[in-house]
Amino acid sequence: MAACTAARAARGHGEESPPERRVYMDYNATTPLEPEVIQAVKEAMQKAWGNPSSSYPAGRKAKDIINAARENLAKMIGGKPQDIIFTSGGTESNNLVIHSMVKHFHENQTAKEDGVEHQPLGDRAKPHFITCSVEHDSVRLPLEHLEEEGVAAVTFVPVSKVSGRAEVDDVLAAVRPTTCLVTIMLANNETGVVMRVPEISQRIKALNSRRVASGLPRILVHTDAAQALGKRRVDVEDLGVDFLTIVGHKFHGPRIGALYVRGLGELTPLHPMLFGGGQERNFRPGTENTPMIAGLGKAAELVAENCEAYEAHMRDVRDYLELRLQAEFGKERVRLNSRFPGTERLPNTCNVSIRGPQLQGRLVLAQCRTLLASVGAACHSDLGDQPSPVLLSCGVPLDVARNALRLSVGRGTTRAEVDLVVDDLKQAVARLEGSP
């Protein structure tokens, strides 16, 4: 909230002004740390400052905290602690998977898998990746970069304009002999649409049995679960994925992350991008950031214990928000861009456009005095007045996409705050349209 204080000071040119009530609705961008998380970080800084690889008490304390955090993360996603690798965040986790698969493809063209020798695909064969058109930049950009350099081939499966998601049949139709990885996000950060990752994994698993029998390499499945964790139940057994990306600051933890790898180093390959002291079993070396790992573990513990309650609360508040918006502006004037018939979405996400030629999303937010939100993904903040590519991919009309606001509520958002936000939006729209 420091930014809010600075903004008030700037408007008053240093003079005192009455405090303004601010309501944060950008939880898909980042979340504040829970008090228990702050306490865990603080205690680790004070009592576990030693090198986790050292044998003296402060080092052993650090190692114990890291092990406990790994167990909490595994519990949160229904996996095994030994399959969790700590990283600096979601971007590193996603890049680690992608670059690892490039190396694995080239190392294993003539290797044997399950006793069957792979078909040689030729010296010029490139690893092929399948993803979708609405992925986060930390998946899209490394894949585009590899393709531009001639290192890999990539298929970007378009999302359906009816469902807002990548359809399973379209993903499977993109498979080639050289396909090595399918990476599909679990939930979209702008629309909240939940992708059909379990069905994709099941179909790929069935396909793999035939591929291996015919000498083709297995296809692995990765999902970036950044937006889903803390908002809905996430279980790696249900999802059937080989890799899953974890991002702490999306569920009230610190800004570090982790990567789940099913049967790390045995069932599922992983090749490090960094080389150093051998931490994280050499898969991600570097002296562990014990305080942040402690905070991540505590955040994961809270999710494991309270996820159902969090989800129910956020859904109630989000649904109330949408009802209030429609009641205030009229159903004909409000378009709820994240609603697709028959498609599951995150319980906290409301992507909404208020129709009107003067009501571009950025202009509306600039007029708001209470609401703190965004027009889309934080990583697309450089688009200026250009509409969200994600919304356009989902079939939202250009003039409607320009007016979009992404309102994402949190586990502490109240109905009273929703009322404040809707009133704030009403006044912002009135000012833009010149109403008295």
Side-chain angles (χ1 to χ4, degrees), residues 219-369:
I219 301 169
L220 300 181
V221 180
H222 165 248
T223 191
D224 180 348
Q227 286 298 333
L229 288 165
K231 300 166 188 169
R232 70 189 297 274
R233 182 174 173 270
V234 174
D235 188 292
V236 292
E237 294 306 317
D238 292 343
L239 294 172
V241 294
D242 302 292
F243 304 100
L244 182 138
T245 292
I246 299 168
V247 181
H249 74 98
K250 301 295 187 180
F251 55 94
H252 297 264
R255 288 178 183 166
I256 66 164
L259 178 66
Y260 163 81
V261 185
R262 183 183 298 275
L264 174 61
E266 297 176 2
L267 293 176
T268 306
L270 190 71
H271 296 272
M273 291 196 300
L274 305 175
F275 299 88
Q279 294 86 352
E280 296 296 285
R281 289 184 283 164
N282 278 316
F283 291 111
R284 205 289 183 179
T287 304
E288 299 92 339
N289 191 343
T290 307
M292 295 300 102
I293 290 174
L296 182 65
K298 175 56 70 172
E301 180 183 359
L302 293 173
V303 169
E305 293 175 352
N306 304 297
C307 190
E308 288 184 4
Y310 294 155
E311 181 178 1
H313 173 78
M314 286 186 282
R315 177 172 286 108
D316 175 76
V317 174
R318 190 274 313 279
D319 290 350
Y320 178 69
L321 169 64
E322 294 184 344
L323 287 172
R324 288 283 287 110
L325 288 168
Q326 289 179 324
E328 196 62 55
F329 295 101
K331 289 186 177 181
E332 295 301 317
R333 198 176 186 197
V334 168
R335 189 188 197 278
L336 298 172
N337 302 316
S338 47
R339 282 189 182 179
F340 294 88
T343 297
E344 181 187 356
R345 58 175 171 148
L346 294 176
N348 78 315
T349 305
C350 167
N351 194 302
V352 61
S353 296
I354 304 170
R355 298 177 190 269
Q358 299 167 299
L359 303 182
Q360 285 81 15
R362 293 182 186 279
L363 299 180
V364 172
L365 287 179
Q367 288 292 326
C368 286
R369 296 170 180 173

Side-chain angles (χ1 to χ4, degrees), residues 24-30 136 187-192 227 231 250 321 325 337-338 346 348-353 361-362 365 371-380 388 390-391 401 403-409 421 425:
Y24 183 73
M25 284 194 178
D26 205 15
Y27 286 88
N28 283 6
T30 197
H136 188 270
N188 185 262
N189 48 329
E190 293 190 45
T191 63
Q227 286 298 333
K231 300 166 188 169
K250 301 295 187 180
L321 169 64
L325 288 168
N337 302 316
S338 47
L346 294 176
N348 78 315
T349 305
C350 167
N351 194 302
V352 61
S353 296
R362 293 182 186 279
L365 287 179
L371 173 63
L372 297 172
S374 64
V375 297
C379 56
H380 290 158
S388 161
V390 168
L391 294 184
N403 290 18
L405 303 172
R406 183 185 68 176
L407 308 179
S408 48
V409 305
V421 163
L425 285 169

Side-chain angles (χ1 to χ4, degrees), residues 160-171:
S160 165
K161 291 178 169 54
V162 175
S163 67
R165 66 193 177 203
E167 297 295 4
V168 180
D169 287 343
D170 293 338
V171 172

